[in-house]
Amino acid sequence: MSRIARRFHDLKAEDRAALVTFLVAGDPDLETSQALIDGLPASGADLIEIGMPFTDPMADGPAIQAAGLRALAAGATMDRTLEMVRRFRDTDKVTPIVLMGYYNPIWARGPERFLAEAGAAGVDGLIIVDLPPEEDEELCLPARAAGIDFIRLATPTTDSARLPAVLLNSSGFIYYVSVAGITGQKRATAEVIGQAVRRLRAATDLPIAVGFGIREPEQAAEVARLADAVVVGSALVDSVAASLDPSGQAQPELVRAVHSRVERLAAAIRTARQQS
Amino acid sequence: MTAETASSTSARPNSLRQGPDARGRFGIHGGRFVAETLMPLILELERAYEIAKKDDRFKAELDYWFKDYVGRPSPLYFAEPLTNVLGGARIYFKREELNHTGAHKINNCLGQILLAQRMGKKRIIAETGAGQHGVATATVAARFGLPCVVYMGETDIERQKPNVFRMRLLGAEVIPVKSGSRTLKDAMNEALRDWVTNVEDTFYLIGTAAGPHPYPAMVRDFQSVIGNETREQILAKEGRLPDVLVAAIGGGSNAIGLFHPFLDDPEVRLVAVEAAGHGIETGKHAAAIAGGRPGVLHGQRSYLIQDDDGQVAEAHSISAGLDYPGVGPEHAWLADIGRMEVTAATDDEALAAFQTTAKLEGILPALESAHAIAATIKLAPQLAKDQILVLNLSGRGDKDIFTVASSMGVEL
């Protein structure tokens, strides 16, 4: 069983949703970023998504765009992102790691080489925003063959005619993007999310994660009652940005500030289903 | 007339004019590298375009607007003074700069807005570099009564003020893009973010033969009126096809529009001129084919200026319309298979060509087109006097006088 499958299997037994956290590799600097990632499991993150910085993140809002540029300015590269995962795996063998980003840095490296290195570093899954099912031969099928899950986004525009194509080669979990738009902006209502999750459940046995626009513990709890996982990204990236000094350097309390936000989200998710 | 000619010749076996394939690929280039949210829209657009393309009423409607609104056909002008000075091939200008709004961009905008109307879309968005596409989009949006938002990099807004004001006069909302290099690439990112957020009612009117399938093919088809007319006009004037076609390429819509109807005429050389900026060797250029390698950006794979780690580099060109790190996928493929030659002109060469053309021909060319002229100045003397060269004068240079003045140390 893969780390992702194992994690969802265990959480199902506990009857609680997973907290999936997103941070950008190398944001705001390489050392701080490593400390942020390393401390996530102890803060309550169940799955870790790590953004691979890219100059042109077309599907991201201002917060994650800025994070990517901070990381690139601090010297982030694909080598260093993979090194970060390797170092994380030295001490944590169980928490799933999913790399998220855009295709060009992978294509530039060569998909086969990237997959071999990512697998060896301990990466469990990929979310590549600009690779729809129509481009599955590029990376999705090679990733599956290499034993790395390819996690697909389903969106409000993915209608029932299209859903089977989206699900076909998906593995790990399905990431439901709850609003049509870029990251960190609007948020869907619980009713809309509930309907979407039911529609997805009818079509797949894969766990369903919901993200986009979830910032606060109570919002996370609400989604945790409906879905198998709650993804929080822009809010954590905002916490990083809020702890920078005017010159853009990390202040001493940055790591703690981000981890406490994760702790609050995790606590809300852990008790969400008991309250409902 | 024009679309008819295109479809009747493109059915030949072994034709180079049949691309892209069903996946939107030209060789390894092209494709549909977009977020899932946009995928259903791209497929809807492809279906709508396939239907429109085969509909005689759509063609008739487009021809009407080309004739009565744009002023087509644009003349094919014999540039006698330039020909005499260079002492080589007979040089013709395809006068796209005489079109309504002053560039070839309107051809594509009319095609797409007619399609948007058929699809029942209520809002138009566009990206622009030099502002020519923004002006053309704002123009057709005004005429067809649709609200229009144009994304434009802050850097470009600064160097293309007259076009910004034109767009506003035409009722468009011009949104300054402050991210990245604040030029065309970033404007395109922002337009895509708008589209992904406003999927219900919005039509993204892309200005060049690039982006996810079906845009490269669709924009090419609308711009092919340039090459189709050129073919008829040169046959009428010279009784034969030209020996060389020359056009500037940024994304490449004016070049593919001129070249495409000639792809299956191997005796016609196709010369694409990239923007070499300060010189390709300096790294400050916009020559994607000569100075880049295949990459994925803005929904397509094509040549892309990038670093070893796949991060997109900032392009540089004095011409805002060429200041883009990528190029359309069909050009990339034509370069790969050797059908199209690729050369480049620097900022300085383009500025010199601008002044030469003004003085000799009484025409101010757009700085984009001035790159094609710069290449022609080098190429024509190497050709025999009975050879024919057609250059796409894709836009007029009024918008560029501030840039040219500042390069000459003149304050306006």
Side-chain angles (χ1 to χ4, degrees):
Chain A
M1 197 182 273
S2 72
R3 283 192 200 100
I4 294 176
R6 164 67 56 193
R7 180 55 46 105
F8 277 109
H9 177 267
D10 291 350
L11 291 177
K12 193 167 190 174
E14 288 180 40
D15 189 28
R16 73 170 175 89
L19 171 61
V20 182
T21 59
F22 172 90
L23 288 166
V24 174
D27 175 35
D29 60 72
L30 299 166
E31 195 188 336
T32 307
S33 182
Q34 185 79 53
L36 282 169
I37 305 287
D38 288 347
L40 284 172
S43 308
D46 299 300
L47 280 90
I48 296 176
E49 279 180 20
I50 300 179
M52 298 176 281
F54 184 48
T55 40
D56 293 81
M58 291 168 304
D60 285 301
I64 294 176
Q65 287 174 45
L69 293 178
R70 283 196 297 269
L72 290 172
T77 60
M78 186 66 87
D79 278 340
R80 288 175 173 149
T81 299
L82 293 172
E83 178 58 25
M84 194 168 279
V85 177
R86 226 172 276 129
R87 285 175 60 182
F88 176 88
R89 276 278 169 262
D90 286 343
T91 54
D92 186 315
K93 312 286 187 205
V94 294
T95 307
I97 292 219
V98 173
L99 293 183
M100 182 164 184
Y102 296 80
Y103 186 40
N104 198 53
I106 294 171
W107 160 259
R109 198 172 193 84
E112 294 299 334
R113 177 184 162 202
F114 169 80
L115 290 170
E117 291 175 351
V123 171
D124 302 291
L126 298 172
I127 302 176
I128 307 301
V129 179
D130 51 356
L131 285 177
E134 281 74 6
E135 303 293 351
D136 269 358
E137 288 168 31
E138 295 282 337
L139 188 67
C140 172
L141 299 178
R144 297 291 304 273
I148 295 179
D149 283 322
F150 201 85
I151 294 137
R152 189 94 68 198
L153 306 182
T155 77
T157 61
T158 312
D159 60 20
S160 47
R162 185 165 169 79
L163 189 55
V166 169
L167 295 172
L168 181 63
N169 294 315
S170 294
S171 61
F173 59 95
I174 294 293
Y175 184 165
Y176 181 68
V177 170
S178 59
V179 291
I182 51 178
T183 50
Q185 308 287 303
K186 299 178 286 190
R187 191 169 65 93
T189 63
E191 193 188 344
V192 169
I193 293 173
Q195 277 170 7
V197 171
R198 280 193 295 279
R199 189 163 68 90
L200 290 169
R201 281 218 201 286
T204 181
D205 293 330
L206 289 171
I208 296 158
V210 173
F212 272 47
I214 301 166
R215 305 187 64 87
E216 302 304 329
E218 54 274 28
Q219 298 165 350
E222 194 173 65
V223 175
R225 288 178 205 118
L226 303 165
D228 302 309
V230 183
V231 188
V232 182
S234 294
L236 300 179
V237 169
D238 281 344
S239 288
V240 172
S243 303
L244 299 175
D245 68 21
S247 71
Q249 301 298 308
Q251 299 193 75
E253 71 275 16
L254 186 149
V255 173
R256 188 82 282 273
V258 174
H259 287 160
S260 346
R261 190 157 191 171
V262 174
E263 285 163 11
R264 289 195 298 276
L265 290 159
I269 288 171
R270 274 159 210 268
T271 55
R273 291 190 191 159
Q274 295 151 27
Q275 292 165 0
S276 62
Chain B
M1 53 164 203
T2 50
E4 189 59 54
T5 322
S7 61
S8 62
T9 49
S10 63
R12 282 166 41 175
N14 302 320
S15 169
L16 296 179
R17 304 182 60 202
Q18 288 169 327
D21 67 15
R23 298 166 64 210
R25 298 293 180 99
F26 299 92
I28 67 159
H29 304 285
R32 289 174 286 212
F33 296 90
V34 297
E36 172 57 28
T37 313
L38 290 182
M39 213 42 231
L41 282 79
I42 300 267
L43 294 172
E44 179 198 10
L45 176 65
E46 185 183 358
R47 281 190 298 270
Y49 178 58
E50 286 303 314
I51 293 167
K53 195 163 81 167
K54 294 179 188 111
D55 183 344
D56 289 336
R57 283 172 308 174
F58 185 75
K59 284 181 217 163
E61 207 177 349
L62 188 56
D63 283 344
Y64 163 78
W65 288 98
F66 276 174
K67 182 167 175 286
D68 284 9
Y69 194 68
V70 178
R72 302 209 71 91
S74 68
L76 185 69
Y77 159 76
F78 177 48
E80 195 171 3
L82 190 63
T83 297
N84 290 339
V85 165
L86 296 176
R90 294 167 63 78
I91 298 166
Y92 284 88
F93 290 170
K94 179 60 173 166
R95 302 285 305 273
E96 289 296 301
E97 104 281 11
L98 293 177
N99 292 340
H100 179 41
T101 73
H104 71 291
K105 293 291 186 186
I106 189 97
N107 304 330
N108 165 52
C109 289
L110 278 168
Q112 287 198 48
I113 205 149
L114 289 173
L115 190 59
Q117 204 179 35
R118 281 169 84 101
M119 293 173 73
K121 299 293 179 182
K122 302 289 181 217
R123 174 175 178 266
I124 302 294
I125 60 170
E127 83 296 334
T128 197
Q132 292 302 97
H133 174 58
V135 167
T137 305
T139 297
V140 298
R143 177 59 187 81
F144 286 79
L146 293 172
C148 175
V149 172
V150 179
Y151 290 92
M152 189 168 183
E154 267 195 336
T155 306
D156 291 337
I157 287 183
E158 189 51 41
R159 56 182 168 176
Q160 301 289 347
K161 282 180 190 157
N163 271 344
V164 175
F165 187 58
R166 273 186 199 109
M167 286 184 266
R168 290 188 171 137
L169 284 174
L170 291 160
E173 183 187 353
V174 181
I175 300 186
V177 176
K178 298 181 168 77
S179 57
S181 56
R182 306 173 184 207
T183 59
L184 180 53
K185 148 179 109 76
D186 312 285
M188 201 151 175
N189 288 336
E190 214 52 43
L192 284 163
R193 290 180 187 124
D194 179 311
W195 200 22
V196 85
T197 309
N198 299 289
V199 290
E200 295 299 327
D201 62 345
T202 296
F203 187 97
Y204 181 16
L205 208 159
I206 294 184
T208 192
H213 178 65
Y215 281 101
M218 179 172 72
V219 174
R220 170 201 71 201
D221 292 348
F222 293 142
Q223 291 294 2
S224 289
V225 66
I226 302 171
N228 286 323
E229 284 177 6
T230 299
R231 198 179 178 95
E232 286 175 23
Q233 290 167 322
I234 202 74
L235 286 173
K237 282 177 196 288
E238 295 274 1
R240 66 181 187 87
L241 294 182
D243 298 285
V244 187
L245 301 176
V246 182
I249 47 170
S253 70
N254 91 79
I256 202 70
L258 177 64
F259 295 169
H260 196 260
F262 295 92
L263 290 186
D264 289 333
D265 301 293
E267 70 276 24
V268 180
R269 282 174 66 186
L270 310 176
V271 179
V273 187
E274 294 191 305
H278 296 323
I280 294 175
E281 70 289 350
T282 66
K284 290 183 77 74
H285 63 85
I289 299 176
R293 58 198 162 84
V296 175
L297 181 69
H298 294 154
Q300 65 170 18
R301 175 156 46 226
S302 185
Y303 285 93
L304 181 65
I305 304 173
Q306 56 186 317
D307 70 12
D308 290 342
D309 215 35
Q311 302 297 341
V312 181
E314 291 183 11
H316 168 81
S317 171
I318 193 164
S319 145
L322 303 180
D323 199 349
Y324 178 70
V327 63
E330 192 163 12
H331 289 295
W333 171 70
L334 290 170
D336 282 354
I337 63 169
R339 178 66 187 93
M340 183 185 83
E341 299 163 44
V342 180
T343 180
T346 63
D347 288 353
D348 288 345
E349 289 168 333
L351 286 163
F354 181 100
Q355 293 193 52
T356 301
T357 311
K359 288 184 181 134
L360 286 178
E361 299 291 349
I363 294 171
L364 299 183
L367 279 174
E368 291 76 24
S369 320
H371 284 72
I373 300 169
T376 297
I377 289 172
K378 284 186 265 186
L379 178 60
Q382 301 166 21
L383 301 172
K385 289 194 176 197
D386 62 349
Q387 292 194 292
I388 302 166
L389 181 153
V390 176
L391 176 156
N392 195 356
L393 198 69
S394 55
R396 68 176 180 223
D398 307 57
K399 69 186 171 61
D400 292 315
I401 56 170
F402 299 96
T403 307
V404 174
S406 117
S407 79
M408 296 166 70
V410 175
E411 202 170 316
L412 295 184

